[in-house]
């Protein structure tokens, strides 16, 4: 979709551009802002990285705890459920008394 990319990068912010024809059809593009490419320093991204790492460690610990509890659990079925009737018996209309 080089046509789309070329039109998007050539567009002025806030001005609709198009129609632009691509293999997927026709498009109208509106660029809201252009931010120069670049890299961020480690100090800028450090808080986000630490938060993501903390969340991952918590998720792993929780999943491990659940896994251990499932291994220790014993499940016994103490009753056999009776089959429910396919339709209510005649004369047992719950809305009759309303």
């Amino acid at each position: 979709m080089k046509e789309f990319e070329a039109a998007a990068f050539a567009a002025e912010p806030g001005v609709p551009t198009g129609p632009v024809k691509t293999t997927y059809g026709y498009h109208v593009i509106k660029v809201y802002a252009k931010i120069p490419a670049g890299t961020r320093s480690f100090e800028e991204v450090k808080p986000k990285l630490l938060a993501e790492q903390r969340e991952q460690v918590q998720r792993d610990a929780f999943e491990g705890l659940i896994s251990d509890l499932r291994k220790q659990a014993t499940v016994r079925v103490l009753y056999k459920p009776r089959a429910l009737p396919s339709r209510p018996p005649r004369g047992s209309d719950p809305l009759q008394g309303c």
Side-chain angles (χ1 to χ4, degrees):
M1 292 194 11
K2 293 184 182 203
E3 306 89 2
F4 187 93
E5 185 177 310
F9 280 102
E12 290 296 319
V15 178
T17 303
V20 177
K21 185 178 180 184
T22 69
T23 56
Y24 297 103
Y26 290 91
H27 310 274
V28 175
I29 303 168
K30 183 175 182 181
V31 175
Y32 289 94
K34 290 188 177 184
I35 301 170
T39 58
R40 295 186 293 175
S41 70
F42 176 71
E43 293 305 318
E44 284 181 90
V45 296
K46 184 178 177 180
K48 183 178 179 184
L49 293 174
L50 288 173
E52 289 174 0
Q53 183 66 28
R54 193 175 311 112
E55 289 173 13
Q56 184 63 46
V57 168
Q58 288 174 345
R59 202 173 0 223
D60 292 346
F62 181 73
E63 289 174 6
L65 174 65
I66 295 297
S67 176
D68 290 345
L69 290 174
R70 284 187 175 146
K71 288 176 188 173
Q72 296 172 14
T74 302
V75 177
R76 289 185 275 166
V77 178
L78 301 177
Y79 73 97
K80 182 179 178 183
R82 292 184 294 170
L84 298 174
S86 58
R87 62 181 187 151
R90 292 181 185 204
S92 64
D93 186 3
L95 300 177
Q96 227 172 11
C98 295

